[in-house]
């Protein structure tokens, strides 16, 4: 009932997409592949006054509009210690990097830029490394681009420049020279893709550490929908208008998405 009263469109290029129930109160939407470049995406609800079940009714909600830009993809290869930066499919820069050393392996998978911070004081205690231990650190870090909430960044690491392009020596972040980190910082926005391959680490979890939705296959994603990934097969919602008791307010899982 909820899904059949939600609508997502993209123009000028339409794209197949589906909802996924993360839990019984949270619904995410994504297309089969990345959003088209320079698209206008609109999400709307017709749930106002619709009886969902028992005494649960839909409430009015404002439509949401977002716009995608160019398709930016940063492919981070932990096996070759190189990052390949693409703009709309064209390679524009290859950057020597270092990723997580054994025991601190960088997560594989498709991640999304969450936020950018020109300066962060990084302390090992924030990821569970005790102060004073052999792996502890307390470092001023510049040009930090966050890709997981647990503390994985792409950032300047001048202390490891001798290993960049050759070896993985970090505690899980992707390190590069200060100049390259500044360039990367200036060329990505929230929602852009940072994909890690070739690491010995686990794959990023889909929902609890940032925007990892792309790490589910399309078949897996469709299984999370009550409509089986096809709104066309849903029965028309029967609407009963009355003053609703507890409202159900739909929201969009992503406010800024990569193309």
């Amino acid at each position: 009932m909820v899904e059949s009263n939600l609508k997502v469109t993209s123009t000028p290029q339409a794209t197949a997409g589906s909802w996924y129930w993360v839990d019984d109160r949270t619904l995410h939407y994504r297309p089969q592949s990345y959003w088209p470049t320079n698209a206008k995406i609109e999400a709307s609800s017709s749930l106002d006054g619709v009886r969902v079940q028992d005494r649960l009714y839909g409430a009015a909600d404002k439509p949401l509009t977002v716009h995608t830009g160019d398709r930016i993809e940063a492919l981070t290869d932990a096996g070759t210690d190189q990052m390949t930066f693409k703009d709309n499919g064209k390679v524009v820069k290859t950057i020597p990097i270092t990723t997580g050393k054994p025991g601190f392996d960088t997560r594989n998978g498709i991640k999304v830029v969450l936020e950018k911070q020109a300066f962060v004081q990084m302390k090992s205690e924030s990821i569970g490394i005790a102060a004073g231990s052999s792996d502890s650190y307390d470092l001023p870090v510049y040009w930090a681009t966050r890709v997981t909430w647990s503390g994985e960044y792409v950032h300047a690491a001048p202390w490891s420049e001798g290993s960049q392009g050759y070896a993985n020596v970090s505690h899980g972040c992707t390190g590069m020279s200060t100049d390259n980190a500044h360039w990367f910082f200036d060329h990505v926005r929230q929602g852009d893709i940072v994909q890690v391959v070739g690491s010995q680490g686990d794959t990023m979890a889909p929902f609890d550490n940032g925007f990892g939705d792309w790490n589910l296959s399309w078949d897996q994603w469709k299984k999370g929908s009550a409509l089986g990934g096809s709104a066309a097969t849903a029965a028309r919602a029967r609407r009963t208008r009355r003053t609703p008791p507890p409202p159900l307010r739909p929201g969009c899982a992503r406010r800024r998405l990569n193309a």
Side-chain angles (χ1 to χ4, degrees):
M1 186 65 73
V2 172
E3 284 186 63
S4 61
N5 280 279
L6 301 177
K7 182 180 181 181
V8 179
T9 60
S10 67
T11 55
Q13 181 181 337
T15 181
S18 181
W19 295 94
Y20 188 102
W21 287 94
V22 177
D23 54 46
D24 60 4
R25 297 177 62 89
T26 309
L27 196 55
H28 283 201
Y29 185 92
R30 53 156 271 205
Q32 183 172 357
S33 56
Y34 297 151
W35 289 103
T37 60
N38 303 309
K40 177 183 179 181
I41 301 162
E42 296 177 286
S44 60
S45 163
S46 56
L47 272 167
D48 189 20
V50 173
R51 183 174 182 265
V52 177
Q53 64 177 29
D54 301 328
R55 288 170 48 80
L56 182 64
Y57 288 78
D61 198 57
K62 294 181 180 180
L64 174 73
T65 300
V66 295
H67 294 85
T68 64
D70 294 330
R71 177 177 294 183
I72 301 298
E73 300 169 81
L75 179 63
T76 303
D77 192 330
T80 63
D81 297 307
Q82 301 288 327
M83 173 187 283
T84 303
F85 192 98
K86 296 181 180 181
D87 186 342
N88 291 325
K90 179 181 178 181
V91 176
V92 295
K93 195 175 181 68
T94 301
I95 301 172
I97 58 167
T98 184
T99 62
K101 61 185 178 180
F104 296 92
D105 300 279
T106 304
R107 296 174 184 84
N108 285 298
I110 302 172
K111 303 161 191 178
V112 171
V113 172
L114 301 174
E115 62 181 359
K116 302 194 301 180
Q117 297 165 274
F119 173 79
V120 180
Q121 188 71 27
M122 292 190 178
K123 298 183 179 182
S124 58
E125 294 95 319
S126 66
I127 61 169
I129 301 174
S133 67
S134 59
D135 279 307
S136 67
Y137 55 87
D138 186 350
L139 295 168
V141 174
Y142 293 90
W143 312 120
T145 301
R146 182 191 284 268
V147 293
T148 71
W149 293 125
S150 62
E152 188 179 321
Y153 288 81
V154 178
H155 64 74
W159 53 84
S160 67
E161 281 195 41
S163 298
Q164 292 165 19
Y166 302 100
N168 294 319
V169 297
S170 83
H171 288 87
C173 289
T174 298
M176 56 184 64
S177 72
T178 300
D179 286 347
N180 282 332
H182 194 175
W183 183 93
F184 181 86
F185 187 94
D186 286 344
H187 284 79
V188 295
R189 297 181 297 169
Q190 284 180 299
D192 286 336
I193 295 296
V194 179
Q195 182 176 6
V196 177
V197 299
S199 173
Q200 298 302 308
D202 296 331
T203 298
M204 179 187 180
F207 307 116
D208 62 0
N209 198 15
F211 292 138
D213 303 52
W214 300 112
N215 292 306
L216 291 180
S217 70
W218 184 236
D219 285 341
Q220 290 173 319
W221 187 266
K222 288 191 296 182
K223 290 178 181 178
S225 166
L227 303 178
S230 176
T233 64
R236 283 288 176 189
R238 180 171 59 86
R239 302 186 182 201
T240 305
R241 301 284 176 181
R242 64 180 72 176
T243 302
L248 179 68
R249 297 188 179 275
C252 184
R254 297 170 180 274
R255 295 292 172 176
R256 161 71 173 89
L257 288 171
N258 185 70

